[in-house]
Amino acid sequence: MIKRIKEELLSRLISQFEGLALHDKFYKAGALSFGLYMILGIIALIIFKQAGIQIVANAFVFIILSVFTIAVAIEYWYQLEKLYSKKWFKWVLGGIAVLIYKYSELHAEDFINEFTLNEPSYFPTGSAVLATIFLPYSWLVAVSSFLTLFIFINWFFIPIERSTEKRQLEGWKYLARFIGLTVILVWAQKSTKLFEDQDSYAYLFAKHIIISTEYFENSHCLNVKESELSAYLDRGHISIFTPSNQSFRTEECDLGITSYSNGR
């Protein structure tokens, strides 16, 4: 009797996914997880009171959000895969890539100016290296901006069904898609903080790049101490970095040469 009930339940569960596209199967799994969460939540409330609900919620919220996010990623991967085969899309993507790289260069220059208190043009090597390192950040900013606009348009104007040949889910799918897109947006925005937080490893690494590529230990300028590093600017001026307090100062290079008028 129990075995027959199990087989019946399993058969009904499998039938829930028959005829669905792969991403819709994940949407369905997320919806069933939500239903299971509601049932277990009620049971936990009755037996364990408020503490039980918290435990169930912590487990299922992560599962539900993860499943909806995977569903969204699969669904829109199909869309991008189709577009990538089109020549015009490759040209558009190439143009976007160039703009993102230019944005990365601007971000690198802003970083150098804020860090060294000097013009970025004095540090071409460090600027070029940082522009490459900041590319993931620039793409994350672009993705976050695009997703913000796309979520708004998709939710209010163009809910997308990938195929009309297969069985389609009910209207709640649009809410699930919205949740999945929002999770991706939140993670993209959180990832950008890794490059913006001054205590992050990325920020500290960027500082190390500038110091190691543009500043040198040996200098013919007498006003550079042994423990300090220096970089030549122009018109006889140098930027001096003091490692002990992580500070910069700009001075005219002292060559120790006394002028002829003073030496007479």
Side-chain angles (χ1 to χ4, degrees):
M1 180 68 178
I2 296 177
K3 183 179 180 180
R4 189 173 63 182
I5 293 175
K6 288 182 178 180
E7 291 177 350
E8 180 68 23
L9 290 175
L10 181 61
S11 177
R12 290 186 179 183
L13 179 63
I14 294 174
S15 66
Q16 294 289 320
F17 296 90
E18 291 179 350
L20 293 176
L22 178 59
H23 62 273
D24 280 343
K25 290 180 180 179
F26 277 93
Y27 282 127
K28 192 69 177 182
L32 293 176
S33 298
F34 179 77
L36 182 61
Y37 159 66
M38 295 297 295
I39 294 172
L40 294 179
I42 293 173
I43 295 174
L45 178 62
I46 295 174
I47 299 176
F48 302 105
K49 307 302 181 183
Q50 187 65 33
I53 294 181
Q54 189 63 40
I55 296 173
V56 174
N58 290 340
F60 274 87
V61 167
F62 175 78
I63 294 172
I64 294 169
L65 292 181
S66 298
V67 172
F68 283 158
T69 303
I70 293 172
V72 166
I74 294 173
E75 181 176 18
Y76 287 102
W77 172 252
Y78 287 137
Q79 301 296 324
L80 290 175
E81 191 177 32
K82 289 180 179 179
L83 286 174
Y84 193 73
S85 63
K86 301 181 182 299
K87 188 174 181 179
W88 66 265
F89 182 76
K90 293 180 180 179
W91 279 101
V92 171
L93 192 63
I96 293 174
V98 171
L99 292 175
I100 288 176
Y101 182 76
K102 298 304 292 185
Y103 177 80
S104 184
E105 286 184 331
L106 291 174
H107 185 66
E109 291 175 356
D110 288 341
F111 175 86
I112 292 172
N113 177 253
E114 181 182 351
F115 179 47
T116 67
L117 305 178
N118 277 293
E119 290 290 329
S121 59
Y122 294 135
F123 311 101
T125 303
S127 182
V129 174
L130 284 189
T132 304
I133 292 175
F134 284 146
L135 267 178
Y137 167 78
S138 300
W139 275 103
L140 284 170
V141 171
V143 168
S144 298
S145 302
F146 172 77
L147 280 176
T148 302
L149 178 63
F150 183 77
I151 288 173
F152 175 81
I153 295 176
N154 184 77
W155 177 251
F156 290 102
F157 298 107
I158 51 169
I160 297 174
E161 292 291 353
R162 190 179 69 86
S163 174
T164 57
E165 297 179 358
K166 294 185 177 182
R167 174 185 165 198
Q168 299 295 333
L169 296 179
E170 299 80 3
W172 58 262
K173 172 183 173 180
Y174 303 128
L175 176 61
R177 180 190 291 138
F178 178 78
I179 293 172
L181 286 169
T182 302
V183 171
I184 296 175
L185 173 61
V186 169
W187 276 106
Q189 290 181 336
K190 282 187 175 181
S191 298
T192 60
K193 300 301 180 183
L194 296 177
F195 295 88
E196 297 172 352
D197 185 0
Q198 296 189 5
D199 295 325
S200 67
Y201 289 112
Y203 198 90
L204 295 176
F205 181 64
K207 288 182 177 181
H208 175 73
I209 290 296
I210 296 300
I211 298 301
S212 60
T213 59
E214 300 290 355
Y215 285 79
F216 302 92
E217 295 181 358
N218 300 320
S219 174
H220 56 271
C221 302
L222 300 180
N223 49 331
V224 179
K225 300 176 183 178
E226 290 186 3
S227 60
E228 296 178 329
L229 307 175
S230 64
Y232 179 77
L233 302 179
D234 64 359
R235 298 181 182 180
H237 287 81
I238 55 174
S239 174
I240 302 173
F241 173 67
T242 306
S244 59
N245 57 11
Q246 298 287 300
S247 65
F248 293 87
R249 70 180 188 275
T250 301
E251 295 182 1
E252 188 173 355
C253 179
D254 180 8
L255 297 175
I257 301 175
T258 306
S259 65
Y260 177 75
S261 59
N262 292 334
R264 283 190 303 183

